[in-house]
Amino acid sequence: MSVRLFAWMMIGLGLLLPVVGWQTASPVGFVGPVLALLGILLLVTWRGR
């Protein structure tokens, strides 16, 4: 798995978790935006060869 794919998967999961957390009334929804932010930061700061 490449770093770019991992970052996109983190962003996707980060966007999905708030929806799941909202439907189940679970605090997992607060983790989603943090994962999305980390994925974006990884894409911005990663220096591919």
Side-chain angles (χ1 to χ4, degrees), residues 7-27:
W8 279 112
M9 288 175 62
M10 283 179 61
I11 293 170
L13 186 63
L15 295 176
L16 181 67
L17 281 179
V19 175
V20 172
W22 175 71
Q23 290 178 350
T24 61
S26 172

Side-chain angles (χ1 to χ4, degrees), residues 12-45:
L13 186 63
L15 295 176
L16 181 67
L17 281 179
V19 175
V20 172
W22 175 71
Q23 290 178 350
T24 61
S26 172
V28 75
F30 296 108
V31 177
V34 174
L35 276 179
L37 180 63
L38 286 175
I40 291 169
L41 286 174
L42 188 61
L43 278 177
V44 170
T45 59

